[in-house]
């Protein structure tokens, strides 16, 4: 709501900051209306304090995220950027990149958002095991035909952006091997797959192999 234009691109960071300052309350209300079950839970009388804390944390964290984007001289490209393009022999699972940006050299940057205080995401980056980000990088590069310069997790409650430490060796081969093993298990029946129950198309990797 803050970032995306109807044209398919994003507002400038200056426009986003202004929209955030002027319209946060309206956007917050609209977002809650899009998630009626979550909104109903948070709006229980006993959850009143929880909702107030959540709303304040959200506001502060968005303000911090905007400041980080400005500090790093990034230009927002799109939020919830949809990827659905093959990037290897297995075919790419359908998904949405939380935020796609551009650096000053015209390269792409990926931010994945988490509402979490767990350190598993920082550890994954440090150990070269940020597999979700690897998938996004390959899918975006295949779809847009442009290089992704770097990627990061933004943890909303902690208001921190976590990047891959310099010198980290991403475990691309291990990731691809794991994907291949999973497909083998599906093919030989070790892992069951029921396409009728797959309401969200996460597993186009399977559907593209005619496993419906």
């Amino acid at each position: 709501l803050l970032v995306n234009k109807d044209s398919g691109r994003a507002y400038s960071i200056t426009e986003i900051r202004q929209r955030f300052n002027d319209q946060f309350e309206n956007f917050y209300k609209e977002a809650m209306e899009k998630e009626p079950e979550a909104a109903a839970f948070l709006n229980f009388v006993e959850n009143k304090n929880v909702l107030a804390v959540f709303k304040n944390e959200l506001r502060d964290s968005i303000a911090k995220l905007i400041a980080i984007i400005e500090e790093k001289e990034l230009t927002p490209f799109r939020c919830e950027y949809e990827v659905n393009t093959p990037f290897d022999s297995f075919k790419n699972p359908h998904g949405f990149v939380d935020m796609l940006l551009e650096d000053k050299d015209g390269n792409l940057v990926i931010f994945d958002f988490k509402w979490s205080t767990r350190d598993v995401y920082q550890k994954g980056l440090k150990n070269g095991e940020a597999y979700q980000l690897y998938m996004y990088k390959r899918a975006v590069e295949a779809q847009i035909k442009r290089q992704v310069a770097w990627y990061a997790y933004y943890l909303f409650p902690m208001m921190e952006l976590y990047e891959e430490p310099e010198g980290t060796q991403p475990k691309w081969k291990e990731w691809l091997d794991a994907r291949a093993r999973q497909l083998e298990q599906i093919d030989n029946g070790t892992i069951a797959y029921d396409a009728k129950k797959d309401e969200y198309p996460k597993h186009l990797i399977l559907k593209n192999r005619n496993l419906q």
Side-chain angles (χ1 to χ4, degrees):
L1 295 173
L2 278 171
V3 174
N4 288 349
K5 285 184 177 181
D6 293 338
S7 64
R9 288 293 299 263
Y11 290 99
S12 70
I13 193 61
T14 301
E15 291 172 317
I16 291 169
R17 178 181 287 282
Q18 191 64 51
R19 287 163 61 78
F20 171 68
N21 291 336
D22 294 345
Q23 302 183 60
F24 174 78
E25 291 293 335
N26 292 335
F27 288 145
Y28 176 82
K29 180 180 178 181
E30 186 174 345
M32 293 292 277
E33 289 172 350
K34 289 177 179 289
E35 300 290 343
E37 292 183 5
F41 172 76
L42 287 170
N43 280 300
F44 286 157
V45 174
E46 59 267 33
N47 291 330
K48 184 176 180 180
N49 291 336
V50 174
L51 180 59
V53 170
F54 167 75
K55 185 176 180 181
N56 288 333
E57 284 188 350
L58 177 63
R59 181 190 286 110
D60 292 346
S61 192
I62 292 174
K64 179 65 179 295
L65 177 61
I66 291 171
I68 289 172
I69 293 171
E70 289 180 318
E71 290 165 8
K72 293 186 174 295
E73 300 181 72
L74 299 174
T75 301
F77 183 90
R78 192 74 175 167
C79 272
E80 287 290 296
Y81 180 79
E82 185 174 10
V83 288
N84 189 18
T85 298
F87 62 81
D88 60 23
S89 59
F90 303 137
K91 307 295 182 184
N92 177 42
H94 177 269
F96 294 86
V97 177
D98 287 338
M99 193 169 196
L100 194 61
L101 310 99
E102 297 171 300
D103 65 17
K104 57 186 178 182
D105 296 320
N107 297 312
L108 298 170
V109 175
I110 289 171
F111 284 1
D112 189 66
F113 301 147
K114 304 294 182 186
W115 194 277
S116 174
T117 58
R118 299 173 61 205
D119 63 358
V120 62
Y121 303 106
Q122 301 95 299
K123 288 181 178 178
L125 287 164
K126 182 179 180 180
N127 297 332
E129 298 171 347
Y131 299 127
Q132 181 183 10
L133 294 178
Y134 301 166
M135 185 195 76
Y136 285 161
K137 172 180 164 65
R138 286 210 171 183
V140 166
E141 288 179 340
Q143 186 156 307
I144 301 184
K145 311 300 183 186
R146 290 168 58 189
Q147 182 179 358
V148 173
W150 55 279
Y151 39 68
Y153 288 116
Y154 183 74
L155 274 59
F156 270 90
M158 301 179 71
M159 304 183 196
E160 293 289 345
L161 185 74
Y162 294 97
E163 303 173 39
E164 197 168 67
E166 187 175 349
T168 301
Q169 295 298 317
K171 296 178 181 177
W172 287 94
K173 184 177 185 303
E174 290 86 344
W175 171 58
L176 291 170
D177 287 348
R179 282 159 54 79
R181 285 196 300 272
Q182 185 180 37
L183 286 172
E184 289 175 4
Q185 290 174 326
I186 291 166
D187 281 342
N188 65 32
T190 305
I191 297 177
Y193 174 67
D194 186 347
K196 293 181 180 178
K197 294 182 180 179
D198 187 15
E199 297 177 359
Y200 180 72
K202 296 177 183 177
H203 305 295
L204 287 185
I205 184 174
L206 310 181
K207 294 176 182 178
N208 287 337
R209 290 164 60 89
N210 299 316
L211 295 176
Q212 294 100 310

